Amino acid sequence: MEVKDINGNVLTVGMAVRYTGTGTTGEISAIKVEDGEGWARLEDSDLWYNTDYLEVVDKSELRRAVRKEGPGDTIDRIRKMKEDFADVDMGSEVCDGGG
């Protein structure tokens, strides 16, 4: 069975698509058919999308949709927050408590 987008274009791995529900764009990394419906996994998010709601776009649109902060930036920010919390003194002398 051929898997097609909302406009009837046949989808293949490596194509650039947009999810019409949210505008999310990405490159297809895998395609499957389950219960008669087509599904495509987008490379960056690793999420599966029903192909009835995808539309093929030009790969140049993927470059324009690049976020300013990537996954590596987010991981670095979380590590910094974790380090900041490690310096918090949780001793019993810090504040009064009930009990």
Side-chain angles (χ1 to χ4, degrees), residues 4-55:
K4 298 181 180 182
D5 75 348
I6 195 169
N7 299 315
N9 299 310
V10 176
L11 298 174
T12 59
V13 171
M15 291 182 106
V17 293
R18 176 186 302 117
Y19 177 62
T20 58
T22 61
T24 301
T25 58
E27 193 171 301
I28 297 174
S29 62
I31 295 174
K32 69 179 178 178
V33 176
E34 196 170 281
D35 296 327
E37 292 195 82
W39 295 88
R41 184 174 60 201
L42 299 190
E43 188 174 293
D44 291 340
S45 65
D46 205 29
L47 297 174
W48 289 93
Y49 293 86
N50 186 314
T51 57
D52 290 340
Y53 302 99
L54 294 178
E55 63 181 343

